[in-house]
Amino acid sequence: SAVISQKPSRDICQRGTSLTIQCQVDSQVTMMFWYRQQPGQSLTLIATANQGSEATYESGFVIDKFPISRPNLTFSTLTVSNMSPEDSSIYLCSVKGLAGLDTQYFGPGTRLTVL
Amino acid sequence: AQKVTQAQTEISVVEKEDVTLDCVYETRDTTYYLFWYKQPPSGELVFLIRRNSFDEQNEISGRYSWNFQKSTSSFNFTITASQVVDSAVYFCALSERTGGFKTIFGAGTRLFVKA
């Protein structure tokens, strides 16, 4: 499996500000995803990060709130914009395509608290 | 549309007991993958197993075993002789071809193993 790193690992932010989370993979991958895990909940897919084009968002998530970039096959960013306390969650980067599209691996997550 | 149901929210067992975690899935696709992930208290997601829709063979890995039955759309996970270190949240997940192989997760089952 690949080594997936995320920065920052955690942050405490003020309401109304924005935070950009970085995801770096140590090898090229076909697909990259961003998930949210609210406290005590399961993982919810936010979007698929597409290289060189706009991300594909799931129902309930919009680009203005969660802009995503993927400039190459090993790196992606997720921005949480105009944050509110409801955005307090763990945000996870995930990848597929190291050896086919059959298994998905996850980064360590970014724990975000919004005051 | 794809869906994963883990009806057991929490299970509590005493060490050395066997425990089965249930997973029922819904998909209209004939090509799909099923997964189990473990999320210990530290928070990282650990990949446990992958099964594709064309392979109904059950699998055993040490104290872990998985029972895949397409007839009942179930992919259950059994831990034999449970240990305290097995305490975690376990997620069942589904990835289907028509969904672009994005992975959706069940709600998770929190397993407590008491010494």
Coordinates of all heavy atoms in Angstrom, one line a residue, chain A residues 31 33 35 37 40-43 45 48 58 92 96 101-108 111, chain B residues 33 35 37 39 42-45 47 50 91 95 100-108 110:
Chain A
M31 N -7.0 7.3 -8.5 CA -8.2 8.1 -8.0 C -7.8 8.6 -6.6 O -7.2 7.9 -5.8 CB -9.4 7.2 -8.0 CG -9.8 6.6 -9.3 SD -11.3 5.6 -9.2 CE -12.5 6.9 -9.2
F33 N -9.9 10.7 -3.3 CA -11.2 11.1 -2.8 C -11.0 11.8 -1.5 O -10.0 11.7 -0.8 CB -12.0 9.8 -2.5 CG -12.2 8.9 -3.6 CD1 -11.3 7.9 -3.8 CD2 -13.3 9.0 -4.4 CE1 -11.4 7.0 -4.8 CE2 -13.5 8.1 -5.5 CZ -12.5 7.1 -5.7
Y35 N -13.2 12.4 2.2 CA -14.3 12.0 3.0 C -14.4 12.9 4.2 O -13.4 13.4 4.7 CB -14.1 10.5 3.5 CG -14.4 9.5 2.4 CD1 -13.4 9.2 1.5 CD2 -15.6 8.8 2.4 CE1 -13.7 8.2 0.5 CE2 -15.8 7.8 1.5 CZ -14.9 7.5 0.5 OH -15.1 6.5 -0.4
Q37 N -15.8 12.6 8.3 CA -16.3 11.8 9.4 C -16.7 12.6 10.5 O -15.8 13.1 11.3 CB -15.3 10.7 9.8 CG -15.9 9.7 10.8 CD -14.9 8.6 11.1 OE1 -13.7 8.7 11.0 NE2 -15.5 7.4 11.5
G40 N -18.5 10.5 15.9 CA -19.3 9.3 16.2 C -20.0 8.8 15.0 O -20.9 7.9 15.2
Q41 N -19.7 9.3 13.8 CA -20.4 8.9 12.6 C -19.5 8.1 11.7 O -18.3 7.9 11.9 CB -21.0 10.1 11.9 CG -21.9 11.0 12.8 CD -23.1 10.3 13.2 OE1 -23.8 9.7 12.4 NE2 -23.4 10.4 14.5
S42 N -20.2 7.6 10.6 CA -19.5 6.9 9.6 C -18.8 7.9 8.6 O -18.8 9.1 8.8 CB -20.4 6.0 8.8 OG -19.7 5.3 7.8
L43 N -18.2 7.4 7.6 CA -17.5 8.2 6.6 C -18.5 8.6 5.5 O -19.2 7.7 5.0 CB -16.3 7.5 6.0 CG -15.1 7.3 6.8 CD1 -15.2 6.2 7.9 CD2 -13.9 7.1 5.9
L45 N -18.6 10.4 1.7 CA -17.8 10.9 0.6 C -18.2 12.3 0.2 O -19.4 12.6 0.0 CB -18.0 10.0 -0.6 CG -17.3 10.3 -1.9 CD1 -15.8 10.3 -1.7 CD2 -17.7 9.4 -3.0
T48 N -14.8 13.3 -5.5 CA -13.7 12.7 -6.1 C -12.8 13.8 -6.7 O -13.3 14.6 -7.5 CB -14.2 11.8 -7.3 OG1 -15.1 10.8 -6.7 CG2 -13.1 11.1 -8.0
E58 N -20.4 15.0 -4.4 CA -21.6 14.2 -4.0 C -22.7 15.1 -3.6 O -22.5 16.3 -3.3 CB -21.2 13.2 -2.9 CG -20.1 12.2 -3.2 CD -20.5 11.3 -4.4 OE1 -21.6 10.7 -4.3 OE2 -19.8 11.2 -5.4
L92 N -10.7 13.0 5.7 CA -9.8 12.0 5.3 C -9.6 12.0 3.8 O -10.6 12.1 3.0 CB -10.3 10.6 5.7 CG -10.5 10.4 7.2 CD1 -11.9 10.3 7.6 CD2 -9.7 9.1 7.6
K96 N -7.1 5.3 -4.6 CA -7.2 4.0 -5.2 C -6.3 4.0 -6.4 O -6.0 5.0 -7.0 CB -8.6 3.8 -5.8 CG -9.6 3.3 -4.8 CD -10.9 2.9 -5.6 CE -11.9 2.4 -4.6 NZ -13.1 1.8 -5.3
L101 N -8.2 -0.8 -9.3 CA -9.2 0.0 -8.6 C -10.0 -0.7 -7.5 O -11.0 -0.3 -7.1 CB -10.2 0.6 -9.7 CG -9.6 1.5 -10.7 CD1 -10.6 1.8 -11.8 CD2 -9.1 2.8 -10.1
D102 N -9.4 -1.8 -7.0 CA -10.2 -2.6 -6.2 C -10.1 -2.3 -4.7 O -10.9 -2.7 -3.9 CB -9.9 -4.1 -6.4 CG -8.4 -4.4 -6.3 OD1 -7.6 -3.5 -6.1 OD2 -8.1 -5.6 -6.5
T103 N -9.0 -1.6 -4.3 CA -8.9 -1.3 -2.8 C -8.6 0.1 -2.6 O -7.9 0.7 -3.3 CB -7.8 -2.2 -2.2 OG1 -8.1 -3.6 -2.4 CG2 -7.6 -1.9 -0.7
Q104 N -9.2 0.7 -1.6 CA -9.1 2.1 -1.2 C -8.3 2.2 0.1 O -8.6 1.5 1.1 CB -10.5 2.7 -1.1 CG -10.5 4.1 -1.2 CD -11.9 4.7 -1.6 OE1 -12.6 4.0 -2.3 NE2 -12.3 5.8 -1.1
Y105 N -7.3 3.1 0.1 CA -6.5 3.3 1.3 C -6.8 4.7 1.8 O -7.1 5.6 1.0 CB -5.1 3.0 1.0 CG -4.8 1.6 0.6 CD1 -4.7 1.2 -0.7 CD2 -4.6 0.6 1.6 CE1 -4.4 -0.1 -1.1 CE2 -4.3 -0.7 1.2 CZ -4.3 -1.0 -0.1 OH -4.0 -2.3 -0.5
F106 N -6.6 4.9 3.1 CA -6.9 6.2 3.7 C -5.7 6.8 4.4 O -4.8 6.1 4.9 CB -8.0 6.0 4.7 CG -9.4 5.7 4.1 CD1 -9.7 4.4 3.7 CD2 -10.3 6.8 3.9 CE1 -10.9 4.2 3.1 CE2 -11.5 6.5 3.3 CZ -11.8 5.3 2.9
G107 N -5.7 8.1 4.3 CA -4.7 8.9 5.1 C -5.1 8.9 6.5 O -6.1 8.4 6.9
P108 N -4.2 9.5 7.3 CA -4.4 9.5 8.8 C -5.5 10.4 9.2 O -6.0 10.4 10.4 CB -3.1 9.9 9.4 CG -2.5 10.7 8.3 CD -2.9 10.1 7.0
R111 N -8.1 16.3 11.9 CA -9.1 16.6 12.9 C -9.3 18.1 13.0 O -8.5 18.8 13.5 CB -8.8 16.0 14.2 CG -9.8 16.0 15.3 CD -9.4 15.3 16.5 NE -9.1 13.9 16.4 CZ -10.0 12.9 16.5 NH1 -11.2 13.2 16.8 NH2 -9.6 11.7 16.3
Chain B
Y33 N -17.2 -4.6 -5.3 CA -16.3 -5.0 -4.3 C -16.9 -4.7 -2.9 O -17.5 -3.7 -2.7 CB -14.9 -4.3 -4.4 CG -14.2 -4.7 -5.7 CD1 -14.3 -3.9 -6.8 CD2 -13.4 -5.8 -5.7 CE1 -13.6 -4.2 -8.0 CE2 -12.7 -6.1 -6.9 CZ -12.8 -5.3 -8.0 OH -12.1 -5.6 -9.1
F35 N -15.7 -4.6 1.3 CA -14.6 -4.4 2.2 C -15.0 -4.4 3.7 O -16.1 -4.0 4.0 CB -13.9 -3.0 1.9 CG -13.6 -2.7 0.5 CD1 -14.6 -2.2 -0.4 CD2 -12.4 -3.0 0.0 CE1 -14.3 -1.9 -1.7 CE2 -12.0 -2.7 -1.4 CZ -13.0 -2.2 -2.2
Y37 N -13.2 -2.5 7.1 CA -12.1 -1.7 7.6 C -12.3 -1.6 9.2 O -13.4 -1.7 9.7 CB -12.2 -0.2 7.1 CG -11.8 0.0 5.7 CD1 -12.8 -0.2 4.7 CD2 -10.6 0.4 5.3 CE1 -12.4 0.0 3.3 CE2 -10.2 0.6 4.0 CZ -11.2 0.4 3.0 OH -10.9 0.6 1.7
Q39 N -11.3 0.7 12.6 CA -10.9 2.0 13.0 C -10.7 2.0 14.5 O -11.7 2.1 15.3 CB -11.9 3.1 12.7 CG -11.4 4.5 12.9 CD -12.4 5.6 12.4 OE1 -13.6 5.5 12.6 NE2 -11.8 6.7 11.8
S42 N -7.4 5.1 18.0 CA -6.4 6.1 17.5 C -6.9 6.8 16.2 O -6.4 7.9 15.9 CB -5.1 5.4 17.2 OG -5.3 4.4 16.3
G43 N -7.9 6.3 15.6 CA -8.6 7.0 14.5 C -8.2 6.6 13.1 O -9.0 6.9 12.2
E44 N -7.1 5.9 12.9 CA -6.7 5.6 11.5 C -7.6 4.5 11.0 O -8.1 3.6 11.7 CB -5.3 5.2 11.4 CG -4.9 3.8 11.8 CD -4.6 3.7 13.3 OE1 -5.1 4.6 14.0 OE2 -4.0 2.8 13.7
L45 N -7.8 4.4 9.7 CA -8.6 3.4 9.1 C -7.7 2.3 8.5 O -6.8 2.6 7.7 CB -9.5 3.9 7.9 CG -10.8 4.4 8.2 CD1 -11.4 5.2 7.1 CD2 -11.8 3.3 8.6
F47 N -7.3 -1.2 6.5 CA -8.0 -2.1 5.6 C -7.8 -3.5 6.1 O -6.7 -4.0 6.4 CB -7.3 -1.9 4.2 CG -7.6 -3.0 3.2 CD1 -8.8 -3.1 2.6 CD2 -6.6 -4.0 2.9 CE1 -9.1 -4.1 1.7 CE2 -6.9 -5.0 2.0 CZ -8.1 -5.0 1.4
R50 N -10.8 -7.4 1.2 CA -11.6 -7.1 0.0 C -12.1 -8.3 -0.7 O -11.5 -9.4 -0.7 CB -10.6 -6.4 -1.0 CG -11.2 -6.2 -2.4 CD -10.1 -5.8 -3.4 NE -9.3 -6.9 -3.7 CZ -8.0 -6.9 -3.4 NH1 -7.4 -5.9 -2.8 NH2 -7.2 -8.0 -3.8
F91 N -16.1 -1.0 10.0 CA -16.9 -0.5 8.9 C -16.9 -1.5 7.7 O -15.9 -2.0 7.3 CB -16.4 0.8 8.3 CG -16.5 1.9 9.3 CD1 -15.5 2.4 10.0 CD2 -17.8 2.6 9.4 CE1 -15.6 3.4 10.9 CE2 -17.9 3.7 10.3 CZ -16.8 4.1 11.0
S95 N -18.1 -0.9 -3.1 CA -17.7 -0.1 -4.2 C -18.2 -0.8 -5.5 O -17.9 -2.0 -5.7 CB -16.1 -0.1 -4.2 OG -15.6 0.5 -5.4
G100 N -18.5 4.3 -10.5 CA -17.1 4.8 -10.7 C -16.2 4.2 -9.7 O -15.1 4.7 -9.4
F101 N -16.6 3.1 -9.0 CA -15.9 2.5 -8.0 C -15.6 3.4 -6.8 O -14.6 3.1 -6.1 CB -14.5 1.9 -8.6 CG -14.7 0.7 -9.5 CD1 -14.5 0.8 -10.8 CD2 -15.1 -0.5 -8.9 CE1 -14.7 -0.3 -11.6 CE2 -15.3 -1.6 -9.7 CZ -15.1 -1.5 -11.1
K102 N -16.4 4.4 -6.6 CA -16.3 5.1 -5.3 C -16.8 4.2 -4.2 O -17.8 3.4 -4.4 CB -17.0 6.4 -5.4 CG -18.4 6.3 -5.6 CD -19.0 7.7 -5.9 CE -20.5 7.6 -6.2 NZ -21.1 8.9 -6.7
T103 N -16.3 4.4 -3.0 CA -16.6 3.5 -1.9 C -17.5 4.2 -1.0 O -17.3 5.3 -0.5 CB -15.4 3.0 -1.2 OG1 -14.5 2.4 -2.2 CG2 -15.7 2.0 -0.1
I104 N -18.7 3.5 -0.6 CA -19.5 4.0 0.4 C -19.5 3.1 1.6 O -19.2 1.9 1.5 CB -21.0 4.2 -0.1 CG1 -21.6 2.9 -0.4 CG2 -21.0 5.2 -1.3 CD1 -23.1 2.9 -0.2
F105 N -19.7 3.7 2.8 CA -19.6 2.9 4.0 C -20.9 2.7 4.8 O -21.8 3.6 4.7 CB -18.6 3.7 4.9 CG -17.2 3.7 4.5 CD1 -16.7 4.4 3.4 CD2 -16.3 2.9 5.2 CE1 -15.4 4.3 3.0 CE2 -15.0 2.8 4.8 CZ -14.5 3.5 3.7
G106 N -20.9 1.6 5.5 CA -22.0 1.4 6.4 C -21.8 2.3 7.6 O -20.8 3.0 7.8
A107 N -22.8 2.3 8.5 CA -22.7 3.2 9.7 C -21.6 2.8 10.7 O -21.3 3.5 11.6 CB -24.1 3.2 10.4
G108 N -21.2 1.5 10.6 CA -20.2 1.0 11.5 C -20.7 0.3 12.7 O -21.9 0.6 13.2
R110 N -19.5 -0.6 16.6 CA -18.5 -0.4 17.7 C -18.4 -1.7 18.5 O -19.4 -2.1 19.1 CB -18.8 0.8 18.5 CG -17.8 1.1 19.6 CD -18.1 2.4 20.3 NE -18.2 3.6 19.5 CZ -17.2 4.3 19.1 NH1 -16.0 4.0 19.6 NH2 -17.3 5.4 18.3

